[in-house]
Amino acid sequence: MTAPPRTAAPHTAARPAGSGRAAAILCLALAVLLAAMILGLAVGSQHEPPGTVLDVVARRLGLGNPPVTLLDDQIVWQLRLPRVLGAAATGAGLAVCGAVLQTLTGNDLADPYLLGISDGAAAGAVSVIVLGLGGAGAAATGAVSTAAFAGALLSVALVLALSGAGTRSLSAARTVLAGIAVGQMCGAYTSFVVLVLGDRDAARGVMEWTLGSLAGVRWPTAVFLAAVALTGTAVMTSAARDLDAFAFGETAARSVGVHVERTRRLLIATAALVTACLVAHTGVIGFLGLVVPHLVRLVCGPRHGLLLPVSALLGATLLVGSDIAARSVLPDREIPVGVVTAGLGAPFFAWLLWRRGRSEQAPR
């Protein structure tokens, strides 16, 4: 009598194990993010004990009526919490966009600014800062964000037009080259305006914006950034199975029924829009979108169903931590957060280039 094949048991046993590991990784990443956010609320020019931080948040959320002072409430809830939420949202959005673009372009060195987004945003911001088109005070701040957003969108539209978005085929290689070309044009415009039409104060303002800062994030901006990051992450994570197919090449993706051109167009447009919204309000914050996906792949592997949410959590944690360092390293002044992320990301970038060069030289 022939024994029945035993295929169901190993399959059902493997699935809970994989699901359990993924859940554990997500829970750990979330716990680390929450710890970083509490630390971000506590650290500053005036230290707030973690217990006071939790009391303020609990009181504001209606989870009790612990005694807190008006000063503690203003510092934790009105000043620091929007900044911490904005940092978390920005880091999450940039990290997810970086992971998606690396898969779509097949380029390990791709990041959210590959499509000329940061240079386009900088061109828009410089037009307001140097030429004084935004007025003064709060109106000027809003004008800089609006102009940066418009510049980012225009640069993305130009990149997609040059790379053939109106045709049946949207080549990853053409998209990268178009992004480089548009970025160079925007960079040339920015340099011309600053050097020829600007003065010293304008040049300083441009430099501060291009190095990134979360100092001006308040509740309306924080809510907007969080909505953008959550929506963008949800849209891109919903295409996780298609991205898994892209990781094996376009031919493999087509063989399993993926509409390659349409999917690439949708996801590139989503990543570009998310990055444009984030850059418009925080300035240029580099290296997160490059570094985080590679770190997550070392732990989680290439499956995008886990890669993207963990990248979002780790990106949020790293930017919250970087912002803590930016406002704590020097006792009497704050350094741009982009300086901190560059200091962390540049060595990793160099290591990635070295590792890639060794793999290409290895005998096959």
Side-chain angles (χ1 to χ4, degrees):
M1 185 174 180
T2 303
R6 293 184 296 176
T7 57
H11 180 72
T12 54
R15 181 175 297 177
S19 300
R21 179 175 179 273
I25 292 174
L26 286 170
C27 290
L28 177 61
L30 181 59
V32 173
L33 173 59
L34 291 176
M37 293 179 71
I38 293 174
L39 181 63
L41 295 176
V43 173
S45 57
Q46 177 169 328
H47 178 71
E48 296 286 343
T52 302
V53 168
L54 295 177
D55 286 343
V56 170
V57 175
R59 184 183 180 93
R60 281 285 188 166
L61 296 179
L63 302 178
N65 193 26
V68 296
T69 66
L70 179 61
L71 179 61
D72 290 336
D73 181 82
Q74 289 291 317
I75 291 175
V76 172
W77 187 265
Q78 298 293 345
L79 295 179
R80 292 184 186 167
L81 185 54
R83 178 169 182 162
V84 168
L85 287 177
T90 302
L94 293 178
V96 172
C97 291
V100 169
L101 290 175
Q102 286 167 12
T103 299
L104 292 177
T105 61
N107 186 346
D108 291 341
L109 304 181
D111 71 355
Y113 304 127
L114 183 70
L115 305 181
I117 299 172
S118 62
D119 294 297
V126 164
S127 299
V128 171
I129 295 173
V130 176
L131 302 180
L133 303 178
T141 302
V144 170
S145 298
T146 302
F149 180 70
L153 287 187
L154 287 174
S155 67
V156 170
L158 184 55
V159 167
L160 293 178
L162 292 175
S163 58
T167 65
R168 289 178 56 86
S169 175
L170 182 61
S171 167
R174 286 204 307 271
T175 303
V176 172
L177 292 175
I180 294 173
V182 171
Q184 291 297 315
M185 287 191 295
C186 292
Y189 167 80
T190 299
S191 300
F192 174 81
V193 170
V194 172
L195 295 176
V196 177
L197 303 180
D199 53 19
R200 182 174 299 178
D201 292 336
R204 181 176 181 179
V206 170
M207 184 184 70
E208 291 176 351
W209 189 90
T210 55
L211 290 177
S213 176
L214 296 155
V217 175
R218 296 295 179 263
W219 273 113
T221 302
V223 171
F224 173 77
L225 294 176
V228 168
L230 288 172
T231 303
T233 300
V235 170
M236 289 182 276
T237 303
S238 68
R241 296 184 65 181
D242 292 344
L243 288 168
D244 288 340
F246 264 98
F248 294 97
E250 292 185 10
T251 302
R254 286 192 176 91
S255 68
V256 296
V258 176
H259 194 299
V260 172
E261 288 77 18
R262 183 175 61 193
T263 302
R264 179 183 286 132
R265 187 179 296 112
L266 172 63
L267 292 178
I268 285 180
T270 302
L273 182 60
V274 169
T275 305
C277 292
L278 300 177
V279 169
H281 291 87
T282 63
V284 180
I285 301 175
F287 285 103
L288 275 177
L290 170 65
V291 171
V292 171
H294 288 287
L295 292 177
V296 175
R297 286 190 187 98
L298 294 176
V299 177
C300 302
R303 296 290 295 271
H304 289 80
L306 182 61
L307 172 66
L308 297 184
V310 176
S311 293
L313 293 173
L314 181 59
T317 301
L318 286 181
L319 191 53
V320 170
S322 298
D323 187 51
I324 294 173
R327 50 192 168 93
S328 305
V329 171
L330 299 179
D332 57 343
R333 62 187 303 181
E334 179 177 321
I335 62 177
V337 69
V339 173
V340 179
T341 59
L344 295 174
F348 182 84
F349 184 78
W351 172 81
L352 187 63
L353 287 174
W354 174 79
R355 180 170 175 264
R356 187 175 182 181
R358 288 197 61 181
S359 64
E360 291 175 351
Q361 295 174 3
R364 298 183 180 180

